[in-house]
Amino acid sequence: MSTEKRTQERFTLNLEARISYRHSDDQSPVIDTVAANISAGGAFLKTAHPFPMAAKVNIEFHLGFDELKLLKFILSMDSLKRLSGKTVWVQASGIVIRREPDGVGIIFDTDYQLTPLRPTDSNE
């Protein structure tokens, strides 16, 4: 009998990611990390940074076209066609719901919207 509670398909992609959150009156630095896995509902990000539980975070994922096709829940077919062959930074926001020694579990906001920010610049 499976103890899996997730209702959405999860993908193990090890995507380059950036995460930040606001605490106190200061904006935290942007932390480069890796999204070990991702689904339509959330992601697990590898990081040693001690994000507090329930912290509101902003995340950018660096996605190539093959990953975009796998994660088709984030973009319409028309958007996928326009981005064919490109890599993009995709933005999301969410809340820290789990902390582990090697990272944090993030649940995307209920009204989340993952949208392409920009194609990758040649110097990134």
Side-chain angles (χ1 to χ4, degrees), residues 18-117:
R18 297 173 180 159
I19 184 170
S20 64
Y21 74 108
R22 182 173 293 280
H23 60 95
S24 312
D25 292 329
D26 302 321
Q27 180 69 30
S28 74
V30 174
I31 298 164
D32 291 321
T33 185
V34 172
N37 63 62
I38 186 171
S39 74
F44 183 80
L45 302 168
K46 295 180 183 178
T47 181
H49 187 82
F51 288 98
M53 289 295 292
K56 173 87 170 161
V57 295
N58 295 309
I59 311 153
E60 291 183 0
F61 300 101
H62 189 229
L63 300 170
F65 186 66
D66 290 337
E67 290 91 6
L68 285 169
K69 287 191 303 188
L70 281 175
L71 304 177
K72 56 187 171 278
F73 58 82
I74 68 172
L75 294 170
S76 69
M77 287 305 292
D78 288 340
S79 295
L80 277 174
K81 289 176 186 173
R82 285 195 310 271
L83 295 171
S84 179
K86 298 178 182 174
T87 58
V88 295
W89 283 101
V90 176
Q91 181 177 2
S93 61
I95 298 170
V96 174
I97 60 165
R98 187 175 87 239
R99 289 190 330 196
E100 295 185 10
D102 63 338
V104 292
I106 307 293
I107 187 169
F108 296 133
D109 291 338
T110 303
D111 59 350
Y112 81 92
Q113 184 176 9
L114 292 163
T115 55
L117 281 178

Side-chain angles (χ1 to χ4, degrees), residues 16 18 62 87 89 118-124:
E16 180 183 355
R18 297 173 180 159
H62 189 229
T87 58
W89 283 101
R118 62 189 184 281
T120 300
D121 297 330
S122 58
N123 60 359
E124 282 192 274

